[in-house]
Amino acid sequence: MRGQIDAFTYDALPARVVMGAGKCNEAAAEAARMGCTRPFVVTTRDQAALGEEIANLFDRTSDSRFAEAAMHTPWGVTQRALGAAQRSGADCVIAIGGGSSTGLSKAIALRTKLPQIVLPTTYAGSEMTPIIGETRDEQKHTQRTLEVLPEVVIYDGELTLSLPVALSVASGLNAIAHAVEALYAADANPVTSLMAEEGIAALAESLPRIVQSPRSVEARRLAQYGAWLCETCLGAVGMGLHHKICHVLGGTFDLAHAQTHAVMIPHVVAYNAHAASSAMTRIARALGARHAWTGLYELGVELDAPRSLRALGMPEAGIDRAMELIMKNTCSNPRAPDVRALGHMPRQALEGLPPEPMD
Ligand code: NAD
């Protein structure tokens, strides 16, 4: 029995996704499909050599590498990249890396209209969203526009083999958090919910295998598949209270992005438990757990993921300030923000204690 299907709206985003080990070698063929032959290749400094390898797949020599991508897409870096892209005469952008490289690629595409090919090497998922966050005058400005959505994404599990285990775990749990919030989003729909449940299950299966065998291509491919599904949900529906809390904590206390998500997600799920029962059933089923919140917390324990905000650098004295900021702007969430219950949550998370379902 499928039960009742509620009314819904689903905006499918255009994306060509190519997945498989060794598929990074098809970057030039993918560019050619779009009529492009001269890529502007962007990476972080750490991943410059990988960028060079991909650039060498193309049949031309020119100065078209830019290895200065940085977290939160600083405007100064984008300005330099725009100048270099124009001088190079590039006809497309190729980003190799995590959200930092993709963010820069999106910033270039927004201003030049160049098509993009992204080869992700983390599970951050920016490649599947029409969202860009840029930092200018110390302020982060976020906008949603289809102009930044990459035309082609190549998921090659081999590119993630070098991602350190701790970063893989945090990045994977961050992806799970996107799928969790998609399941109880106000604009949730049957398609994203299917993807969300499958994405959580794929990551819950692959992350423990990555911890055991970080160089398992099979586990890495499964994790990328799960991340792709979770990030497609992020691109398609709105996020709720968990994202709001992580945004405030990260922005105000400079806490690491993916790690903050990893700590907070079981707590926010416990907070929402009674207000989103069908989402909770699906999350628990994907995790093979009795309850969604205990399943998420136990997965974190199994992966030795960050569980304490204090360990990430959160000062106890900052909790009241964080609460003020969280309560200030509303967000869509199945349960309305309640100061008393919300205040309890970061205190539990501060010490890495298990979540408690809150009435
Ligand atoms: P990142 O891209 O900054 O990567 C972190 C570090 O890991 C970098 O030094 C990078 O060079 C290195 N690295 C990446 N992949 C590696 C690999 N396979 N092996 C070894 N080292 C590797 O971090 P991230 O977490 O992927 O992305 C975070 C950024 O993405 C933030 O700026 C965030 O705001 C943004 N983001 C945007 C969206 C969106 O939809 N716009 C979504 C998610 C994240």
Side-chain angles (χ1 to χ4, degrees):
M1 285 279 285
R2 286 277 168 265
Q4 181 183 312
I5 293 286
D6 294 328
F8 66 87
T9 303
Y10 172 50
D11 278 319
L13 296 176
R16 175 175 166 85
V17 172
V18 177
M19 183 169 289
K23 289 285 182 188
C24 67
N25 294 317
E26 294 178 16
E30 286 300 324
R33 277 186 84 256
M34 300 191 295
C36 301
T37 53
R38 298 185 311 281
F40 185 68
V41 178
V42 303
T43 63
T44 59
R45 280 206 181 89
D46 293 348
Q47 293 182 291
L50 185 56
E52 192 62 29
E53 273 178 44
I54 301 298
N56 287 338
L57 296 171
F58 286 78
D59 192 17
R60 57 96 201 79
T61 47
S62 72
D63 189 17
S64 58
R65 285 82 150 154
F66 189 86
E68 292 178 42
M71 195 77 94
H72 306 306
T73 328
W75 177 236
V77 173
T78 299
Q79 279 180 310
R80 285 199 297 281
L82 281 169
Q86 262 151 15
R87 284 192 298 278
S88 75
D91 56 13
C92 63
V93 188
I94 297 189
I96 302 132
S100 296
S101 298
T102 307
L104 178 58
S105 170
K106 286 176 164 181
I108 296 169
L110 182 62
R111 278 121 195 147
T112 60
K113 314 290 178 230
L114 290 176
Q116 305 171 73
I117 299 177
V118 177
L119 289 86
T121 65
T122 71
Y123 309 127
S126 175
E127 68 279 358
M128 294 311 298
T129 79
I131 304 166
I132 176 166
E134 298 179 281
T135 315
R136 204 168 179 164
D137 302 328
E138 295 181 1
Q139 298 257 326
K140 191 157 182 180
H141 306 275
T142 300
Q143 57 174 307
R144 203 180 177 98
T145 163
L146 283 175
E147 289 180 90
V148 302
L149 190 69
E151 278 70 10
V152 180
V153 179
I154 302 178
Y155 286 110
D156 183 337
E158 293 192 358
L159 298 184
T160 60
L161 289 174
S162 54
L163 190 65
V165 167
L167 213 56
S168 303
V169 163
S171 196
L173 290 172
N174 187 7
I176 286 181
H178 297 147
V180 163
E181 292 233 288
L183 280 165
Y184 54 62
D187 51 354
N189 61 72
V191 181
T192 51
S193 295
L194 278 172
M195 291 192 276
E197 188 174 338
E198 172 73 357
I200 295 169
L203 281 161
E205 184 183 328
S206 55
L207 292 176
R209 285 168 57 192
I210 288 172
V211 171
Q212 291 290 320
S213 312
R215 297 201 60 85
S216 159
V217 178
E218 266 183 35
R220 292 291 187 173
R221 282 174 71 176
L222 184 60
Q224 255 195 345
Y225 163 72
W228 162 59
L229 291 168
C230 293
E231 310 311 358
T232 304
C233 297
L234 173 68
V237 300
M239 296 287 110
L241 180 65
H242 169 76
H243 277 74
K244 170 84 186 207
I245 292 174
C246 293
H247 188 82
V248 166
L249 295 178
T252 315
F253 305 103
D254 201 24
L255 307 188
H257 175 85
Q259 288 79 351
T260 307
H261 278 267
V263 173
M264 289 311 298
I265 191 63
H267 296 274
V268 182
V269 166
Y271 176 84
N272 281 331
H274 299 307
S277 57
S278 84
M280 295 301 145
T281 304
R282 295 186 83 150
I283 298 164
R285 190 165 60 201
L287 295 168
R290 185 141 177 260
H291 297 295
W293 66 93
T294 50
L296 287 166
Y297 185 79
E298 282 159 12
L299 179 63
V301 172
E302 181 185 356
L303 299 173
D304 197 20
R307 289 190 295 286
S308 150
L309 288 181
R310 196 191 291 283
L312 298 184
M314 171 82 191
E316 188 164 1
I319 290 182
D320 289 343
R321 169 86 184 120
M323 282 308 105
E324 238 176 73
L325 292 169
I326 291 162
M327 297 302 294
K328 217 173 183 175
N329 299 305
T330 52
C331 66
S332 170
N333 191 61
R335 179 175 173 188
D338 159 342
V339 186
R340 185 193 58 80
L342 275 181
H344 182 65
M345 197 197 302
R347 285 188 173 84
Q348 290 283 110
L350 193 73
E351 307 304 346
L353 297 171
E356 292 173 356
M358 286 168 263
D359 295 323

